[in-house]
Amino acid sequence: MKLKTASFALLLCGGLLLMGAAAQAESVKTPVNKISADGIGEEIGVITFSDADGGVDIIVDLTGLPEGERGMHVHENASCAPAEKDGKMVAGLAAGGHYDPMKTNKHAGPGKDGHKGDLPHIVADANGTVKTKLHVADLQVKDLKGRSVMIHAGGDNYTDNPPLGGGGARIACGVIK
């Protein structure tokens, strides 16, 4: 009888642990807007971040981007506003730099030993549409909240040559809440 009671207790505890882990999994939908030196423009879609096995799943559903490969990163600040640099307003500069909590100061690519904000690149089709699901290891939604997701004009080679992988200008942004 004691063995049955102990087995039931272990089964119950295991089930409660699984329910607790599932309850802690988070998901956040982030509206994304075009940005320019003049400010925040029209909404072009949504990026959804969801906790998943060992990392974060990223569902990208955007339209109105230039055709081709685009760098995508999580930036430090929860802002998509322009800011001044060298006497000129720069699109999305208030978002700060790439999210780098370990202060690695290197651009190594998603899930690697560099910026935690390095995300997989996205590719817009001839109509400017991106619909894809991505995954980044060792990242959680709680790491992303209070930051921004930035889409750059250029692709990304995940090195520091050229600086920040060659992503170039910031063209779209969303605040992750």
Side-chain angles (χ1 to χ4, degrees), residues 6-138:
S7 296
F8 178 73
L10 283 173
L11 183 63
L12 182 62
C13 286
L16 290 173
L17 284 173
L18 286 175
M19 286 174 42
Q24 291 176 6
E26 291 188 69
S27 182
V28 61
K29 284 188 174 195
T30 302
V32 175
N33 295 74
K34 287 185 177 181
I35 58 172
S36 72
D38 295 326
I40 300 168
E42 70 177 298
E43 186 174 316
I44 60 169
V46 174
I47 298 176
T48 303
F49 299 93
S50 301
D51 287 332
D53 287 339
V56 170
D57 283 342
I58 305 167
I59 307 286
V60 181
D61 188 359
L62 303 173
T63 59
L65 291 170
E67 180 180 6
E69 184 177 301
R70 308 276 154 247
M72 185 170 69
H73 308 95
V74 174
H75 282 243
E76 284 287 334
N77 304 323
S79 177
C80 294
E84 189 175 330
K85 180 179 181 181
D86 300 328
K88 294 177 78 174
M89 295 304 284
V90 178
L93 194 60
H98 293 181
Y99 174 51
D100 188 17
M102 303 305 287
K103 308 292 184 222
T104 66
N105 295 315
K106 68 180 182 180
H107 189 65
K112 300 232 170 103
D113 201 21
H115 301 154
K116 276 194 95 129
D118 289 347
L119 300 178
H121 68 269
I122 56 175
V123 180
D125 66 18
N127 297 319
T129 300
V130 179
K131 289 184 183 290
T132 191
K133 180 178 180 181
L134 309 165
H135 182 81
V136 177
D138 298 326

